[in-house]
Amino acid sequence: MARYTEAKCKLCRREGTKLFLKGDRCYTDKCAYEKRPYPPGHAGRMRHKMSDYAVQLREKQKVRRMYGILEGQFRAYYERADGMKGVTGHNLLMLLERRLDNVIFRLGFANSRDQARQLVRHGIFQLNGRRVNVPSMQVKAEDVIQVREEARKIPVINEAQEVIARRGCPDWLESDGANFKGTVKAMPSRDNIQFPINEQLIVELYSK
């Protein structure tokens, strides 16, 4: 599977905001975006007037990179969201939030979505008692996610549990770190996403 292998901090600088791609490091003064909050490259500090299209594209890239989705996958999510009842932009974000890898990250079982994806692929988690290894699975209300017994001593999982207090767990999820378990209390809503996203720009981009 294709994946981005260059410095993740460059993505944050390119999009002009923290995407929290490197886990706990993003919350410290070691974060590269804190030191250099401008795009990478020689012209990074120069101010450029962006066209409407460029603004829409940057918003799409920001969200796509934050969730770690390839372009084709992201387009498929948009088309699915467009066919659902309700507001397309909201539907898109809810589909992304309900991905298993994102939920594991939100519950505090991984320091980043990328790390969560790797752990899922290695079969570390159970969903409703069954072992799963597909990061893109969509969770639903009352689903229970648990770390398999033999994987509970993995250092990165325990480290992530220490960070969740700083990052916080969204209201639609319930994290039980002591038992390495998390529950989907309800379906996510737009209000549950505090990260600054203008999803309407993405809708306008794909509507052209």
Side-chain angles (χ1 to χ4, degrees):
M1 178 180 289
R3 57 192 293 263
Y4 184 83
T5 57
E6 296 182 30
K8 290 182 173 63
C9 293
K10 286 186 177 181
L11 297 181
C12 298
R13 292 174 59 201
R14 181 66 187 88
E15 303 308 332
T17 187
K18 283 189 179 185
L19 301 178
F20 300 97
L21 302 177
K22 298 191 73 172
D24 192 39
R25 185 186 181 93
C26 299
Y27 295 88
T28 70
D29 55 8
K30 293 181 180 179
C31 174
Y33 182 76
E34 292 287 349
K35 298 176 181 178
R36 292 168 289 177
Y38 50 84
H42 295 296
R45 299 195 189 200
M46 296 176 62
R47 294 187 177 182
H48 301 278
K49 184 177 180 179
M50 297 175 66
S51 66
D52 290 343
Y53 172 78
V55 172
Q56 295 164 357
L57 180 62
R58 290 266 60 85
E59 193 68 17
K60 185 263 293 184
Q61 293 290 74
K62 178 178 76 176
V63 176
R64 185 177 69 79
R65 287 168 169 170
M66 184 176 77
Y67 285 97
I69 308 295
L70 296 175
E71 179 59 40
Q73 293 174 305
F74 195 84
R75 181 70 188 231
Y77 276 118
Y78 172 79
E79 291 175 353
R80 181 177 173 184
D82 193 37
M84 296 166 60
K85 292 182 180 180
V87 181
T88 300
H90 291 185
N91 292 340
L92 173 62
L93 295 182
M94 295 313 101
L95 288 172
L96 295 174
E97 277 292 297
R98 288 172 55 205
R99 281 177 57 100
L100 180 60
D101 55 1
N102 177 71
V103 172
I104 285 169
F105 164 68
R106 295 287 199 192
L107 286 169
F109 293 131
N111 275 315
S112 66
R113 291 180 180 88
D114 185 52
Q115 189 180 84
R117 241 182 326 276
Q118 292 180 40
L119 292 173
V120 172
R121 290 195 183 111
H122 282 87
I124 300 298
F125 298 95
Q126 292 179 327
L127 178 64
N128 301 326
R130 298 182 62 182
R131 185 175 180 177
V132 289
N133 58 8
V134 182
S136 61
M137 287 184 68
Q138 292 277 297
V139 303
K140 59 185 185 301
E142 300 184 3
D143 276 352
V144 176
I145 297 140
Q146 197 160 15
V147 180
R148 291 171 57 217
E149 187 77 34
E150 56 269 35
R152 295 183 181 182
K153 293 183 179 180
I154 294 178
V156 294
I157 293 178
N158 290 283
E159 290 168 8
Q161 284 287 289
E162 295 174 4
V163 176
I164 188 64
R166 183 185 313 164
R167 193 171 68 221
C169 184
D171 294 339
W172 61 285
L173 299 173
E174 182 178 12
S175 181
D176 181 1
N179 293 307
F180 294 88
K181 183 172 70 174
T183 304
V184 181
K185 297 194 299 182
M187 298 290 272
S189 68
R190 180 63 184 87
D191 293 337
N192 293 133
I193 302 177
Q194 303 300 318
F195 191 83
I197 295 173
N198 186 345
E199 62 273 16
Q200 184 56 33
L201 291 175
I202 301 173
V203 175
E204 292 171 0
L205 175 68
Y206 281 130
S207 297
K208 292 182 176 179

